[in-house]
Amino acid sequence: METAMKKKSKIAELRAMILEAEGFTVNSGTDWPLKDMGVMEQAFPAGIFPLGAIHEFISNDTEQASASAGFIACLIGRLMQQKGPCLWVSLGKRLFPPSLSAFGVAPDRVFFVNLSQEKDALWVIEEALKCPSIAAVVGEIHDLDLTASRRLQLAVEQSHVTGFLHRYRPRRMNNMGCVARWNVKPMSSIVSGRLPGIGHPLWHVELQKIRNGKPGSWQMGWKEDTFFYEEQPLGVTDNVYGRTGTS
């Protein structure tokens, strides 16, 4: 029994070493800020949301852009609880900062940088990703090439800062050095009881690719500072889904 446990521990250590060598920040301790994401965790390498990496989000219209911004806000809110502030770089001023409060993000802890030139935005994003005291960097851009994405990935591998690239209406879908690509679409919210109004945010979240992981899609929302899952109709996805958190 003891020998089997040692082998299992050694295998886990080797997997962690491989993931770290490929640019992932690996730590499965209780202080991991994104360790309770429910069934989605089955898609991540070693079952852990990749931090210290670059995540790419694709939005083709304003509705998807709003849904992606909300989902990203939920993620950075968790990171900011354990670390420093966040830097949010945008082109076009599409974000309404007070709306972040609904996703657990205090707007006064976010540095907003609004620029008009994409090359300037990429420079600011790269420099910010080199700062280890920042919890996360969100960059709203249109396009970047493979070389630029690799530069960003190299920056986070040194600083262990997590980057979220939100590409709004990209002109081309080229290969990137990012560890994951996401697509988030809005869904009709569910109103509790019979009272009229707007329900909790609900999204169709698709993880289109992830290095060393398993792509999948889920219907999930945000309620009382936690993610919850909604059952999906047959044919939407072949991946496992279910419920977690509050419902």
Side-chain angles (χ1 to χ4, degrees):
M1 178 67 71
E2 185 177 354
T3 302
M5 292 180 63
K6 287 184 178 180
K7 287 183 177 180
K8 187 176 181 180
S9 176
K10 191 64 176 180
I11 291 173
E13 290 179 6
L14 290 173
R15 287 176 176 172
M17 291 174 61
I18 293 172
L19 291 175
E20 289 181 340
E22 293 183 347
F24 290 93
T25 299
V26 179
N27 181 351
S28 57
T30 57
D31 60 341
W32 196 249
L34 291 169
K35 65 171 298 182
D36 58 348
M37 297 187 68
V39 294
M40 178 185 287
E41 293 177 345
Q42 300 175 25
F44 303 142
I48 304 172
F49 184 93
L51 298 183
I54 300 294
H55 294 257
E56 177 189 16
F57 287 77
I58 303 295
S59 296
N60 295 312
D61 53 44
T62 54
E63 290 79 10
Q64 290 184 24
S66 297
S68 295
F71 184 72
I72 292 172
C74 295
L75 299 176
I76 66 172
R78 296 286 189 86
L79 299 179
M80 293 170 65
Q81 288 177 6
Q82 295 191 4
K83 208 175 178 183
C86 169
L87 187 78
W88 197 301
V89 183
S90 49
L91 297 170
K93 298 182 180 180
R94 289 187 298 273
L95 181 71
F96 181 58
S99 66
L100 297 177
S101 300
F103 303 102
V105 177
D108 60 349
R109 295 191 62 212
V110 180
F111 295 100
F112 297 98
V113 181
N114 297 310
L115 299 166
S116 58
Q117 298 294 324
E118 195 158 68
K119 63 178 182 179
D120 296 332
L122 284 172
W123 182 85
V124 173
I125 293 169
E126 182 178 351
E127 292 303 307
L129 288 172
K130 296 176 181 178
C131 181
S133 61
I134 293 179
V137 176
V138 182
E140 296 180 346
I141 58 174
H142 296 291
D143 292 294
L144 74 164
D145 56 26
L146 179 60
T147 300
S149 68
R150 285 177 172 171
R151 287 174 61 91
L152 300 183
Q153 182 60 36
L154 288 173
V156 300
E157 288 176 9
Q158 295 295 322
S159 65
H160 303 296
V161 175
T162 305
F164 301 93
L165 287 183
H166 186 186
R167 299 179 61 196
Y168 178 63
R169 290 181 176 174
R171 290 176 286 269
R172 58 183 183 274
M173 292 297 297
N174 47 328
N175 292 327
M176 296 290 167
C178 308
V179 302
R181 173 177 287 173
W182 302 79
N183 180 256
V184 184
K185 298 178 181 178
M187 297 182 62
S188 298
S189 59
I190 300 175
V191 180
S192 301
R194 298 181 179 179
L195 295 176
I198 300 176
H200 301 286
L202 191 64
W203 311 291
H204 183 266
V205 179
E206 182 182 4
L207 181 55
Q208 296 180 337
K209 69 173 186 177
I210 180 165
R211 190 186 305 165
N212 295 323
K214 182 180 180 181
S217 60
W218 308 267
Q219 290 183 5
M220 58 191 300
W222 182 255
K223 179 181 178 182
E224 299 177 359
D225 296 329
T226 189
F227 290 106
F228 68 91
Y229 291 77
E230 289 295 323
E231 292 187 0
Q232 298 172 321
L234 295 176
V236 172
T237 178
D238 295 329
N239 294 84
V240 178
Y241 62 82
R243 295 178 183 270
T244 186
T246 57
S247 59

